[in-house]
Amino acid sequence: AAVGILVPVRLDRLLAFASVCIATKTINPTDYRRATVKHVLRDFHRRYVPRKVKWYYRDAWSSFRSWTSAPRCEPDFLIIGAQKSGTTFLFSLLCEHPHVIAPAFKELHYFDMNFHKPLSWYEAFFPTQAAADALESSVGGSIVTGEASPYYMYHPFAASRAHRLYPNAKIIAVLRPPVERAISHYFHSLNWGHERLPISEALAAERDRLAAE
C-alpha cells in the first residue's frame, strides 16, 4: 500500500501486469517484489536526481564499459515515442521477454541530444556479443536488444541519423489520443519543473515555443 502511494500511476499498471504474470506463473512473487522495488527506485531517480548528474553518471558508465568490454551488440529496435504514450511500460514488457536483453539505461538519447559523442559511447550501453551468444545458447533462439528514447519522434534529424547507422533496426512508435497525451505531458513537465504556467496559458504559448525551436 505504501508503495502504491509513492508512485500510483506507474504502479497501477505494474500491479495489474504483475498480477496476471503471477496468476499465469510467468513470474513468481519474489521476482515481482524485486520489480516493484526497482520501479520505486527508478521513480525516485527520475524525480530527484538532477539531469546533469544523470548524464555525468552515464558518461562515466559508458566509458567504463567501452574500456573493459568486448564488441557489443547493435540495437535491433528503437522505440521512438511518443512521449507520455506508454513507451516506458512497453519497454519494460519487452525486456521481460527471455529473448530480449535490456541496455544499461532505457533512454540513451543518442540520435537527438548526444549525437556529438562517439558511436562507442552509444554502443557501450548495449550488452556484449559474448553475453548475447551465451543467452542465445541458453534459451535456444535469437537475441535482440534496443532502447527507447521518446524524443526521437520529434527531433528533425533523429530518423536520418538512426537510419544511416542502423538501417535494419525496427522502429516502434506508440500513439495516444492527442488531447490525453498533451494533458499528461503538461503535468509531466510541471512535476519536473520545466513548466510553470497554468495549463490553459501553457497551451496558448505552445505555438510561440515551437516557433522558437
Side-chain angles (χ1 to χ4, degrees):
V3 171
I5 293 171
L6 283 173
V7 280
V9 176
R10 290 187 185 85
L11 285 185
D12 279 349
R13 293 182 296 181
L14 175 65
L15 292 171
F17 169 68
S19 298
V20 172
C21 290
I22 293 171
T24 58
K25 299 181 180 180
T26 306
I27 59 176
N28 61 50
T30 301
D31 292 334
Y32 159 67
R33 286 193 293 270
R34 290 173 183 168
T36 302
V37 172
K38 179 183 71 173
H39 280 70
V40 171
L41 293 175
R42 185 179 67 188
D43 189 78
F44 178 85
H45 176 266
R46 284 179 172 176
R47 290 176 180 269
Y48 301 112
V49 177
R51 185 178 296 271
K52 287 186 178 180
V53 174
K54 294 177 184 178
W55 284 113
Y56 287 146
Y57 170 70
R58 293 191 184 193
D59 284 344
W61 185 249
S62 173
S63 298
F64 173 76
R65 289 166 67 94
S66 63
W67 292 339
T68 59
S69 298
R72 296 185 174 271
C73 300
E74 296 182 353
D76 299 288
F77 66 86
L78 299 172
I79 300 178
I80 62 172
Q83 292 175 313
K84 311 311 298 175
S85 297
T87 56
T88 298
F89 187 56
L90 174 61
F91 181 76
S92 299
L93 292 181
L94 288 174
C95 292
E96 291 289 337
H97 195 283
H99 292 262
V100 177
I101 304 183
F105 301 97
K106 172 207 165 207
E107 297 186 19
L108 302 180
H109 290 284
Y110 180 65
F111 300 108
D112 48 25
M113 296 186 292
N114 291 298
F115 200 66
H116 60 283
K117 297 177 181 178
L119 185 61
S120 59
W121 178 92
Y122 178 60
E123 293 189 341
F125 291 108
F126 294 102
T128 62
Q129 189 61 54
D133 292 342
L135 182 59
E136 185 172 323
S137 300
S138 175
V139 300
S142 58
I143 302 300
V144 298
T145 187
E147 58 122 338
S149 296
Y151 190 54
Y152 287 165
M153 178 177 284
Y154 305 96
H155 194 279
F157 304 120
S160 59
R161 291 169 175 173
H163 183 263
R164 185 166 71 249
L165 292 175
Y166 305 107
N168 296 320
K170 303 296 183 182
I171 303 301
I172 303 173
V174 185
L175 303 181
R176 182 180 181 182
V179 174
E180 294 180 9
R181 198 214 66 80
I183 294 173
S184 177
H185 199 161
Y186 167 78
F187 285 106
H188 173 80
S189 300
L190 194 69
N191 290 335
W192 275 89
H194 302 322
E195 181 60 78
R196 300 183 182 276
L197 297 176
I199 187 168
S200 58
E201 295 180 20
L203 292 174
E206 188 67 8
R207 184 184 300 273
D208 293 336
R209 291 172 173 177
L210 292 176
E213 292 184 1

